[in-house]
Amino acid sequence: QVQLVESGGGLVQPGGSLRLSCAASGFTFSFYAMSWYRQAPGKERELVASITNTGGSTNYADSVKGRFTISRDNAKNTVYLQMSSLKPEDTAVYYCNARGYCSGYVCFPDYWGQGTQVTVSS
């Protein structure tokens, strides 16, 4: 079955770094654009970063530009989020997303991971 399993979250001090990983299985990973979202308590889920299926193009929320880097390894079916210069406002549950798409008359759904907690605090 389809699985997206995030790892790498935890507690880090302001200014620190973390790398999140999302291991995918059960679908053709290299066909999907991938994204990282986050949701802080009491707030809506927001898009943090995305990467095309080939890895040739990336996009970032303004709040993380220059601090976060999304990358992928299609041979390992894994997408990463390198987070640096972390701030307390980066505290959230981070979710991995495989973005659904349509090819001709066939459409494929979005897939979501279960999330991993990132807490930035001294």
Side-chain angles (χ1 to χ4, degrees), residues 3-121:
Q3 281 193 308
L4 290 172
V5 180
E6 299 102 333
S7 61
L11 173 64
V12 63
Q13 291 188 342
S17 298
L18 280 176
R19 188 175 84 152
L20 305 183
S21 300
C22 172
S25 61
F27 64 100
T28 308
F29 179 76
S30 62
F31 285 6
Y32 280 75
M34 299 295 296
S35 299
W36 286 95
Y37 285 75
R38 68 185 180 187
Q39 188 166 21
K43 295 189 176 181
E44 293 189 355
R45 191 172 295 191
E46 64 171 347
L47 177 64
V48 175
S50 59
I51 188 167
T52 56
N53 64 315
T54 62
S57 181
T58 57
N59 192 44
Y60 297 92
D62 287 343
S63 58
V64 307
K65 276 181 184 175
R67 301 188 298 120
F68 290 11
T69 302
I70 189 171
S71 61
R72 66 189 295 160
D73 185 338
N74 284 352
K76 295 183 178 179
N77 287 357
T78 302
V79 61
Y80 305 96
L81 185 68
Q82 178 67 49
M83 305 185 294
S84 303
S85 302
L86 283 160
K87 305 175 181 180
E89 51 263 43
D90 294 318
T91 295
V93 178
Y94 283 71
Y95 296 92
C96 177
N97 165 259
R99 190 184 310 163
Y101 68 97
C102 293
S103 177
Y105 294 105
V106 180
C107 291
F108 300 87
D110 275 25
Y111 301 122
W112 290 89
Q114 81 290 347
T116 185
Q117 177 70 47
V118 171
T119 302
V120 184
S121 175

